[in-house]
Amino acid sequence: MGVLAWITGVLLIVGFGLAGISKVTKQQQMVDAAGHMGMSVQQFQMIGGLEVAGAIGVLIGLVSEDLRGLGIAAAIGLALVGIGAVIFHVRAGDKPPAFAPAAVLSVVAILAIVGLAGM
């Protein structure tokens, strides 16, 4: 597995892992963000759970050659979550600095898919 997979994988694990944990644990910033985007706190927690699960899936895909497909599937899921976040931010009227992290992590997820697939 190449350097691209490792660098992007670690970025996804940290980025989505921390974002997911803050949603699951109902950090005040995330509670406020849920309301701003027209979502319930429970919906935001579910998204956070998906982010944490995706980060774990990417980690498993990085460390286990036999489960690389799981890492690829997790990175695809995280790319979709990130794209969805950008859409929700735009619909809420947010400016690019507010959704830049989600956009950047979506691009990183796409690069991770390429890296994990060995292209």
Side-chain angles (χ1 to χ4, degrees):
M1 185 172 336
V3 174
L4 178 64
W6 278 101
I7 291 172
T8 56
V10 168
L11 289 172
L12 288 179
I13 292 163
V14 172
F16 277 109
L18 291 175
I21 289 169
S22 66
K23 288 177 182 83
V24 169
T25 60
K26 297 193 272 189
Q27 298 297 310
Q28 188 59 49
Q29 181 181 3
M30 293 302 172
V31 170
D32 295 342
H36 170 69
M37 295 210 212
M39 301 175 87
S40 70
V41 173
Q42 292 78 17
Q43 288 170 317
F44 236 50
Q45 284 183 293
M46 183 180 69
I47 292 167
L50 294 172
E51 290 172 339
V52 171
I56 292 168
V58 169
L59 175 63
I60 292 169
L62 283 174
V63 299
S64 173
E65 184 75 28
D66 293 334
L67 296 173
R68 182 157 319 152
L70 175 64
I72 293 169
I76 291 169
L78 290 175
L80 294 173
V81 166
I83 292 166
V86 170
I87 291 168
F88 269 83
H89 277 286
V90 169
R91 284 181 24 186
D94 293 337
K95 303 273 188 240
F99 57 81
V104 169
L105 282 174
S106 296
V107 172
V108 170
I110 292 166
L111 292 172
I113 295 162
V114 172
L116 285 165
M119 297 177 145

